Amino acid sequence: SGRGLSAEAINRWQIGYSLDNFEDLIKFLKTKKFNDNEILLAGMSFKSEKGKYFNRFRDRIMFPINDVNGRTVAFTARINPAVKDDRGLGKYINSPQTEIYDKSRLLFGLDKAKTAVKEKDELILVEGQMDAITAFEAGFKNVSAVSGTALTVAQLNLIKRYTKNIVLAFDHDTAGANATDRGISEALKQGFNIRIAILKNGKDPD
C-alpha cells in the first residue's frame, strides 16, 4: 500500500477496489436476487436521465463503513492514485444517506475500537477515516472518526455507552477548528470530559 498499510491492516479494514466498470456490481447483485430499485436504494448505483442504472463506484479504493456492530452499511471511495481525472466527482465520494446509513448517527471504526474505549475509558476522535485507520494501526486502538461532520447528539449518545471521556484530534485547519468548537460545545452540554490533542508535526493525525 502506498499509504504504508500492511496486508494485515488492509484485510482488517476490508479495504478493496471497485473495477473501472459501469455494470459489473449491478449484474453480480442481480444474481443474488436484488433488483435495480433495491440496488439504487442501497446507494450502490445511480440512475441516468435515460433511466439506465450504473455502478456508483468505479476505479476507486473502497473503504467499508460499519455500524457499531460491525455490519457494513456504506462505503467511502477514494480515487485511484494512478488516475489524474476524477471525472468531476472529487478525490473522495461516499455512499448517499440510505435507510441503514446516516453518517451523523455513527462513528467510523467504533466497531473495532469499542473494546479498547471501554478498557481505557477514553475515546480519541479524529476527522478522517484514514486518520482513524493509521492511528489504530499505530497502536491507538481506542480511536474513531467523525467522517468530516461536527459531533452530533446521536454520535454522543453512542459514545456514552462506552465512555464519558473524549480526546479530540482534529485537523489543523479552519474546518477542523470549527468542527472542534461545535463538538466541544455539544459534548460539554452532555457532561463529557473533553481534552484536545495538539498535533505539533503535521496537519492531521494521519
Side-chain angles (χ1 to χ4, degrees):
S1 164
R3 298 299 290 270
L5 292 178
S6 66
E8 182 184 8
I10 290 168
N11 184 57
R12 179 173 18 257
W13 294 90
Q14 297 181 294
I15 299 169
Y17 170 70
S18 54
L19 296 174
D20 192 7
N21 188 294
F22 283 90
E23 297 179 292
D24 62 335
L25 179 63
I26 293 171
K27 288 178 179 177
F28 171 75
L29 290 174
K30 283 184 175 179
T31 68
K32 301 296 183 181
K33 310 303 181 186
F34 293 101
N35 62 42
D36 279 325
N37 193 51
E38 288 169 332
I39 298 168
L40 177 70
L41 291 175
M44 301 308 296
S45 68
F46 68 92
K47 190 176 182 180
S48 72
E49 292 180 1
K50 295 182 179 179
K52 187 164 177 58
Y53 295 90
F54 298 105
N55 292 340
R56 178 177 294 276
F57 305 111
R58 305 187 309 281
D59 193 21
R60 286 182 176 258
I61 310 300
M62 302 295 295
F63 298 85
I65 299 173
N66 296 342
D67 66 15
V68 73
N69 297 311
R71 297 172 297 200
T72 299
V73 294
F75 294 91
T76 287
R78 187 196 188 282
I79 191 170
N80 183 340
V83 174
K84 302 301 181 186
D85 180 14
D86 65 5
R87 302 185 178 108
L89 296 173
K91 183 177 179 181
Y92 286 93
I93 58 175
N94 303 297
S95 293
Q97 183 157 313
T98 66
E99 286 190 23
I100 62 169
Y101 173 58
D102 179 349
K103 72 176 181 178
S104 69
R105 305 188 73 84
L106 60 77
L107 293 165
F108 177 81
L110 187 57
D111 57 310
K112 295 175 179 62
K114 61 187 180 183
T115 300
V117 172
K118 269 189 171 180
E119 289 174 352
K120 295 178 182 294
D121 193 19
E122 182 177 81
L123 172 64
I124 301 169
L125 273 182
V126 296
E127 280 187 274
Q129 290 153 2
M130 274 307 302
D131 293 326
I133 292 171
T134 303
F136 186 97
E137 294 302 323
F140 298 90
K141 304 299 184 186
N142 58 326
V143 64
S144 299
V146 294
S147 301
T149 66
L151 262 177
T152 66
V153 172
Q155 288 169 334
L156 288 167
N157 286 337
L158 188 59
I159 296 168
K160 273 182 190 173
R161 299 182 195 174
Y162 308 102
T163 186
K164 293 295 288 287
N165 302 304
I166 298 174
V167 175
L168 296 176
F170 285 179
D171 295 5
H172 279 190
D173 57 22
T174 303
N178 289 341
T180 300
D181 288 345
R182 293 194 301 275
I184 290 173
S185 176
E186 189 56 54
L188 289 176
K189 285 181 191 175
Q190 296 202 32
F192 281 88
N193 302 308
I194 304 291
R195 291 191 295 156
I196 307 287
I198 304 299
L199 307 176
K200 293 182 179 179
N201 301 305
K203 70 179 181 65
D204 58 43
D206 181 31

